């Protein structure tokens, strides 16, 4: 215990600069898991529909509990309704009925405002829709500024449709750049041909360029942003409402979608195969989660009552692995640990796994972790001034250093959640935010820390002898089989620290090393479309025996890299 007098003394003491020396051992050490910096994805805060999935139009299949006419508006005096008597398929049970008043002569139709606006960027858009009703003529698809009326794209397609069955139309067009997110997608037709009658539409879709050009793919811009680094939505509010893998595959019109866990519908257009395609395209290792019997809203299923769900998991494995010989679930025991913490919570968890028993076949998966509040309990939100702050991001770095030091035991870890649509989020603060505006993506400070750590992964964790104890500096060293050496050091303190890294027994290293440093004052944050904190690169001159010296400012993190000459 400190008396208040000695606490004061300590406070003034730590504001002066320190220096520390780290000797990295070149022998021994433990294998490090290559899966320590993962991405945990779940459809929350419109991270799937309206987020990473490329499809931009909202409520296109009238899915979820109360779709109504969400996102739709009449154009040119039509009247719109959700028609539950005219369905596309067994899965998609409603359509959009567009009634045209008698005497109409103009081009009329409907618009869709997407997820907080339709992003309109110069480029090609692929469009798909179903139409039913007697119509033979031109259908015009447009992207239009909602208040400005500016037309960014206008494209005619000739359609012949009857009331006997659904007609599928696919077409693409090129748009010019909009300066904001207030845009709608419009579908117009010749009102004179439908006056006094109606047409029906369903599963309207519009995609900008997708990542790796995939059909029904993920957004290119979001994909590229997340490429730099690696959920519970499927639990369901009740057992019946859980995510069913077999209803997220196959043609989109056969996917019923579901009311997601986070108060909005999931279209499941981003389904099992799309997740795997995403992993493939980013060279990610997928970790398949199966339902354990626990629902978010309670309703736990256990014991023999779980048998059909185990069967379902085996069917899923067979479907994915192409083997019909899967008769038992893979062995191995894993514990999934979640941490949503304050900065001090993370720092005090630095040594969480240091003394954990090591049992063969047993591993830890830190399935979700993030700093979500300040030490005084203020919740962090992108929308207020307290977005993710430097202090919290450094505390996450301290925790991640603890994970890496124990990565012989902690095999997998994933920050969560990773993506939110600004303004459509109920679980802040996510790693990355996006909007429908041009240049839509903003990385939180935590995003840059994840990026720093995940791109400096060694395969062997090396022992370090230092002339200081842990706190406020925390460190971990690793090396790769290709002769690179990494030292990650977090400074969770209010004073700048000088660090000298030596690798006395290493030979053949270049005298020129690199260090990437991220730091800022404790409460600084990156706001939507306003990035103030990100890593800064420097080159260092030194040697393995004399060391390399660099400064780690207060609330900072440094990733040091030495490479073969
Ligand atoms: C509409 O849904 C019913 C089941 O509610 C199904 O029998 C019917 O085939 C569906 N219509 C189409 C066109 O698929
Ligand atoms: C559509 O056209 C067909 C064939 O001319 C006709 O039998 C049917 O009544 C028309 N349907 C509507 C809704 O007008
Ligand atoms: C999916 O599998 C469940 C059993 O787990 C079954 O009840 C359901 O009918 C299946 N759905 C489809 C579309 O096959
Ligand atoms: C390797 O793991 C053991 C626990 O199994 C631990 O005691 C030791 O410190 C670790 N060594 C390094 C270099 O991390
Ligand atoms: C680092 O290694 C050097 C050379 O072996 C040694 O002189 C020094 O005391 C060591 N420093 C620490 C902090 O272990
Ligand atoms: C900083 O260094 C890293 C690692 O070498 C590199 O990937 C990144 O592109 C560099 N950033 C800048 C802005 O030069
Ligand atoms: C569409 C959606 O999920 N909206 C919710 C997002 O989060 C805000 C804030 O919690 C809720 O108010 C919305 O209902
Ligand atoms: C406070 C302090 O000692 N800062 C020094 C840390 O190391 C760098 C690089 O050698 C110097 O430039 C700083 O002056």
């Amino acid at each position: 215990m400190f008396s208040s007098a000695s606490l004061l003394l300590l406070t003034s003491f730590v504001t002066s600069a320190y220096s520390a020396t780290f000797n990295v051992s070149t022998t021994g050490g433990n294998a490090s898991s290559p899966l320590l910096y993962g991405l945990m994805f779940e459809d929350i805060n419109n991270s799937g529909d309206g987020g990473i999935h490329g499809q931009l139009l909202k409520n296109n299949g009238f899915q979820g509990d109360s779709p109504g006419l969400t996102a739709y508006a009449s154009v040119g005096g039509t009247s719109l309704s959700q028609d539950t008597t005219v369905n596309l398929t067994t899965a998609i049970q409603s359509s959009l009925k567009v009634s045209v008043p008698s005497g109409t002569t103009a081009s009329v139709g409907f618009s869709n405002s997407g997820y907080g606006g339709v992003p309109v960027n110069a480029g090609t858009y692929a469009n798909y829709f179903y139409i039913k009703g007697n119509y033979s003529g031109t259908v015009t698809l447009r992207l239009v500024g909602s208040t400005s009326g500016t037309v960014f794209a206008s494209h005619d397609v000739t359609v012949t449709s009857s009331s006997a069955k659904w007609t599928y139309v696919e077409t693409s067009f090129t748009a010019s750049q909009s300066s904001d997110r207030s845009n709608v997608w419009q579908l117009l037709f010749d009102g004179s041909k439908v006056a006094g009658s109606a047409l029906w539409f369903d599963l309207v879709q519009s995609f900008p360029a997708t990542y790796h050009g995939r059909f029904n793919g993920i957004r290119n811009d979001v994909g590229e942003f997340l490429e730099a680094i690696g959920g519970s939505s499927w639990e369901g509010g009740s057992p019946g409402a859980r995510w069913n893998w077999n209803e997220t595959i196959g043609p989109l019109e056969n996917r019923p979608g579901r009311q997601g866990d986070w108060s909005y519908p999931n279209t499941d257009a981003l389904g099992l195969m799309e997740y795997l395609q995403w992993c493939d395209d980013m060279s990610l290792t997928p970790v398949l989660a199966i339902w354990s019997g626990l629902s978010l809203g309670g309703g736990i299923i256990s014991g023999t009552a779980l048998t059909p769900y185990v069967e379902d998991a085996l069917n899923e494995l067979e479907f994915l692995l192409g083997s019909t010989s899967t008769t038992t679930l893979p062995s191995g025991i894993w514990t999934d640990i979640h941490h949503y913490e304050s900065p001090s919570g993370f720092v005090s968890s630095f040594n969480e796994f240091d003394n954990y028993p090591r049992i063969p076949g047993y591993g830890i998966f830190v399935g979700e972790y993030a700093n979500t509040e300040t030490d005084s309990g203020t919740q962090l939100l992108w929308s207020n001034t307290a977005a993710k702050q430097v202090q919290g991001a450094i505390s996450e770095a301290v925790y991640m250093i603890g994970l890496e030091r124990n990565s012989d035991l902690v095999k997998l870890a994933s920050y969560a959640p990773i993506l939110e649509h600004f303004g459509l989020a109920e679980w802040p603060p996510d790693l990355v935010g996006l909007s429908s505006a041009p240049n839509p993506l903003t990385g939180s400070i935590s995003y840059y820390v994840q990026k720093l750590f995940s791109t400096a992964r060694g395969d062997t964790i090396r022992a370090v002898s230092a002339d200081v104890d842990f706190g406020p500096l925390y460190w971990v060293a690793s090396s790769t089989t290709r002769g690179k050496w990494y030292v990650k050091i977090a400074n969770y303190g209010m004073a700048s620290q000088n660090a000298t890294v030596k690798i006395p027994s290493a030979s053949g290293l270049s005298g020129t090393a690199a260090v990437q440093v991220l730091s800022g004052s404790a409460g600084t944050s990156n706001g939507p479309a306003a990035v103030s904190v990100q890593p800064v690169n420097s080159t260092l001159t030194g040697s393995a025996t004399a060391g390399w010296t660099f400064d780690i400012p207060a609330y900072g993190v440094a990733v040091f890299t030495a490479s073969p000459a």
Side-chain angles (χ1 to χ4, degrees):
M1 284 281 287
F2 290 109
S3 69
S4 54
S6 60
L7 256 181
L8 269 178
L9 192 70
L10 190 74
T11 311
S12 61
F13 186 53
V14 294
T15 52
S16 56
Y18 277 102
S19 69
T21 299
F22 304 94
N23 278 353
V24 180
S25 169
T26 52
T27 55
N30 297 320
S32 177
S33 168
L35 302 178
L36 214 48
Y37 297 101
L39 292 177
M40 175 277 195
F41 181 82
E42 73 174 295
D43 203 328
I44 182 170
N45 302 331
N46 287 92
S47 59
D49 291 319
I52 194 164
H53 189 240
Q55 208 287 107
L56 304 174
L57 309 182
K58 191 172 183 175
N59 195 22
N60 64 342
F62 300 91
Q63 290 140 308
D65 285 347
S66 50
L69 288 174
T70 300
Y72 290 103
S74 157
V75 177
T78 56
S79 66
L80 307 183
S81 59
Q82 176 197 348
D83 193 341
T84 53
T85 67
V86 179
N87 59 314
L88 177 65
T89 57
T90 304
I92 305 294
Q93 280 288 318
S94 300
S95 60
L96 181 70
K97 181 178 181 183
V98 183
S99 304
V100 182
S102 306
T104 300
T105 54
S107 184
V108 299
F110 65 92
S111 65
N112 186 294
S113 55
Y115 294 86
V118 175
V120 175
N121 295 298
T124 303
Y125 286 71
N127 301 271
Y128 313 92
F129 63 89
Y130 285 89
I131 178 172
K132 193 174 188 181
N134 290 339
Y135 186 77
S136 178
T138 301
V139 166
T140 305
L141 302 183
R142 309 204 306 168
L143 288 171
V144 180
S146 356
T147 47
S148 65
T150 308
V151 177
F152 299 102
S154 180
H155 175 71
D156 290 346
V157 54
T158 302
V159 171
T160 306
S161 147
S162 82
S163 61
K165 62 171 181 50
W166 286 99
T167 300
Y168 177 62
V169 179
E170 59 178 88
T171 187
S172 66
F173 58 69
T174 304
S176 58
Q177 182 68 40
S178 164
S179 59
D180 63 25
R181 66 186 175 89
S182 312
N183 310 295
V184 294
W185 182 91
Q186 290 182 339
L187 186 153
L188 307 176
F189 53 86
D190 182 346
S192 69
K193 295 187 174 181
V194 193
S197 178
L199 292 176
W200 286 260
F201 295 89
D202 222 337
L203 221 53
V204 294
Q205 302 172 62
S206 189
F207 287 81
T210 57
Y211 190 67
H212 288 226
R214 303 292 175 203
F215 172 76
N216 189 34
I218 64 174
R219 274 171 63 165
N220 202 30
D221 52 357
V222 183
E224 284 176 355
F225 204 79
L226 293 176
E227 205 174 45
I229 50 174
S232 46
S233 178
W234 47 260
E235 279 164 17
S238 64
R242 75 190 190 285
W243 186 84
N244 277 313
W245 69 274
N246 59 343
E247 291 176 349
T248 73
I249 57 176
L252 295 180
E253 63 272 22
N254 294 343
R255 302 185 194 181
R258 57 187 272 273
Q259 182 64 21
D261 291 0
W262 302 106
S263 73
Y264 60 90
N266 293 170
T267 66
D268 288 336
L270 181 61
L272 180 60
M273 297 311 285
E274 286 76 20
Y275 286 132
L276 292 173
Q277 183 72 65
W278 165 10
C279 290
D280 232 36
D281 285 347
M282 278 191 199
S283 303
L284 303 175
T285 303
V287 175
L288 182 74
I290 58 174
W291 195 65
S292 68
L294 171 70
S295 298
L296 269 185
I300 295 171
I301 291 180
S302 61
T304 52
L306 269 176
T307 306
Y309 302 95
V310 174
E311 280 299 316
D312 189 47
L314 294 174
N315 289 340
E316 185 178 5
L317 286 174
E318 274 179 18
F319 173 79
L320 292 172
L321 303 175
S323 156
T324 51
S325 61
T326 316
T327 51
T328 53
L329 291 175
S331 65
I333 303 169
W334 290 76
T335 301
D336 180 3
I337 293 175
H338 296 179
H339 277 296
Y340 292 106
E341 305 286 351
S342 65
S344 351
F346 271 128
V347 172
S348 62
S349 303
F350 166 70
N351 59 0
E352 181 176 14
F353 300 108
D354 284 1
N355 299 307
Y356 238 79
R358 265 66 176 171
I359 302 165
Y362 177 80
I364 300 276
F365 174 23
V366 181
E368 304 184 16
Y369 67 96
N371 164 234
T372 48
E373 60 179 30
T374 65
D375 273 346
S376 55
T378 304
Q379 196 194 0
L380 302 172
L381 299 161
W382 279 94
S383 53
N384 65 21
T385 49
K388 293 192 75 72
Q389 301 175 349
V390 168
Q391 184 177 3
I394 303 304
S395 77
E396 290 165 352
V398 171
Y399 183 66
M400 286 150 67
I401 287 170
L403 297 184
E404 202 169 311
R405 282 166 41 78
N406 288 280
S407 57
D408 57 315
L409 171 71
V410 184
K411 307 284 190 186
L412 302 151
S414 48
Y415 192 94
I418 56 169
L419 185 65
E420 77 177 59
H421 191 120
F422 290 133
L424 297 175
E426 65 250 309
W427 177 286
D430 299 38
L431 191 63
V432 173
L434 96 169
S435 73
S436 296
N439 302 319
L441 290 149
T442 306
S444 63
I445 297 164
S446 298
Y447 165 80
Y448 289 102
V449 171
Q450 289 289 321
K451 192 171 166 178
L452 273 180
F453 275 36
S454 64
T455 50
R457 277 180 291 170
D459 38 54
T460 305
I461 302 300
R462 300 294 191 170
V464 175
S465 63
D467 55 5
V468 294
D469 290 329
F470 289 125
L473 294 181
Y474 299 85
W475 59 86
V476 64
S478 63
S479 63
T480 73
T481 49
R482 301 169 95 182
K484 279 203 172 197
W485 293 81
Y486 297 118
V487 183
K488 296 171 175 141
I489 308 176
N491 178 5
Y492 187 77
M494 290 173 281
S496 175
Q497 301 273 346
N498 259 41
T500 299
V501 169
K502 299 180 182 178
I503 317 173
S505 307
S507 57
L509 289 181
S510 166
T512 304
V515 68
Q516 296 175 266
V517 177
L518 175 148
S519 72
S521 61
T524 308
S525 55
N526 288 349
V531 172
S532 54
V533 177
Q534 51 178 315
V536 175
N537 289 1
S538 314
T539 299
L540 306 171
T541 307
S543 71
T545 44
W548 292 269
T549 299
F550 50 95
D551 192 50
I552 313 171
Y555 291 117
V557 63
V559 174
F560 166 88
T561 308
S563 306

